[in-house]
Amino acid sequence: MNLTIRPMTLSDLDVALGWARDEGWNPGLDDAGAFYAQDPGGFLMGWLGTVRIGCISVVKYGSDFAFLGLYIVHPAHRGKGYGKAIWDAGIASAAGRTIGLDGVVAQQDNYRKSGFAFTHKTVRWGGSLRGLVTTRSFVRPIEVTDMDAVLTYDSKHVAGDRQPFLKAWLAPSPSRQTEGYFEDGALRGFGTIRRCVDGWKIGPLFADTPAIAETLLATLVTPAATDMIFIDIPEPNHAAAAMARRLGLTPAFETARMYLGVAPALALDEIFGITTLELG
């Protein structure tokens, strides 16, 4: 049979996230709708006849940037060239844009061969929190009326416009909540926690200062109780790593942030947790 590659439906994306779960990537329980809202055409599935055999996402943020993730070939169909064809289709779908990704160690050489350049490591920290005693003053749930402030603040920490994603990500959900730090009416940080296959992930966690990040964290972890917490931290943000270590988290694994094209200038010292490895 010939390989066909076409945009995913939302149910296809659920399948792809199931494959991500099987790979140990620990996606959120309610990720699909928010991911899909940003760019429905950015999720591609490879088929042999009626059988799904691989996938990739190259989600577009505005006219200049895209982020690559969910690059998976089902184990039964690896080593046959299907992955390269799916990869090529994904890259072609974002032609003319800078493309970012967080690459697992095993694939980083292949990404370099495709023109991606390393910028920094991203380290996943995980564990049960201890010693979180910061005040929760100035922190409250993000509301619909805060969206303009959130979009403006988000633009300092992400390379492209992701308004459709954020509107869905910040909408009320039983498995996800977002808190903002407001001082004198100004947003100085925000973060989200979401229920995952294993424990909870915090991301994004953007803040003007380490103290604000830790204050947000103190509120965000409330629904997790004693469950495991995970957060993906850019290695250059030494204050974020120090915070994670002080709170009892330990490094679980690392990826490499890489870009095809000009790397964006982001305020890494204010990124205490990236949003997701799939969408940047």
Side-chain angles (χ1 to χ4, degrees):
M1 295 184 191
N2 292 326
L3 175 71
T4 60
I5 301 168
R6 56 181 183 264
M8 296 188 203
T9 64
L10 191 54
S11 61
D12 292 332
L13 181 52
D14 282 327
V15 171
L17 289 169
W19 290 348
R21 175 201 63 214
D22 295 342
E23 293 291 322
W25 298 352
N26 196 25
L29 300 184
D30 191 26
D31 285 352
F35 285 8
Y36 201 71
Q38 177 62 34
D39 178 19
F43 298 89
L44 302 178
M45 183 70 76
W47 298 76
L48 290 180
T50 60
V51 178
R52 302 177 183 92
I53 62 97
C55 61
I56 195 169
S57 60
V58 187
V59 173
K60 294 174 282 295
Y61 295 140
S63 60
D64 299 321
F65 187 72
F67 201 86
L68 187 154
L70 288 175
Y71 178 42
I72 306 170
V73 176
H74 191 276
H77 299 281
R78 292 176 182 171
K80 302 174 183 178
Y82 299 134
K84 181 61 165 57
I86 293 170
W87 170 271
D88 289 344
I91 296 295
S93 73
R97 292 173 168 85
T98 291
I99 302 175
L101 59 79
D102 280 303
V104 297
V105 172
Q107 291 292 333
Q108 288 168 22
D109 284 344
N110 288 332
Y111 298 148
R112 288 187 181 94
K113 292 174 184 176
S114 293
F116 283 79
F118 174 90
T119 58
H120 62 78
K121 293 180 182 177
T122 298
V123 180
R124 174 162 297 173
W125 294 73
S128 298
L129 289 179
R130 67 181 184 216
L132 193 61
V133 294
T134 56
T135 176
R136 301 185 185 188
S137 301
F138 305 112
V139 177
R140 64 164 174 81
I142 291 290
E143 301 170 354
V144 172
T145 53
D146 300 318
M147 184 56 64
D148 286 346
V150 169
L151 290 171
T152 298
Y153 196 84
D154 190 67
S155 67
K156 297 170 57 182
H157 309 96
V158 178
D161 177 10
R162 57 177 187 170
Q163 180 174 340
F165 165 77
L166 279 176
K167 283 187 173 181
W169 193 251
L170 273 53
S173 166
S175 62
R176 188 172 57 236
Q177 74 176 52
T178 300
E179 304 282 342
Y181 185 103
F182 293 86
E183 189 171 0
D184 296 329
L187 180 65
R188 298 191 59 199
F190 76 95
T192 298
I193 189 169
R194 76 194 198 277
R195 188 76 174 89
C196 294
V197 174
D198 178 21
W200 299 72
K201 285 183 186 173
I202 292 173
L205 181 58
F206 303 152
D208 285 0
T209 68
I212 290 173
E214 192 162 336
T215 300
L216 281 164
L217 195 64
T219 298
L220 288 170
V221 298
T222 301
T226 59
D227 291 347
M228 292 282 286
I229 297 289
F230 301 95
I231 185 168
D232 297 315
I233 296 176
E235 189 180 51
N237 190 334
H238 302 300
M243 178 184 71
R245 187 178 294 107
R246 185 175 66 255
L247 297 175
L249 305 184
T250 57
F253 71 88
E254 68 181 49
T255 59
R257 175 59 63 91
M258 307 177 78
Y259 293 101
L260 178 65
V262 178
L266 303 177
L268 291 179
D269 61 333
E270 297 180 2
I271 301 176
F272 291 81
I274 69 167
T275 307
T276 76
L277 295 181
E278 295 85 4
L279 266 69

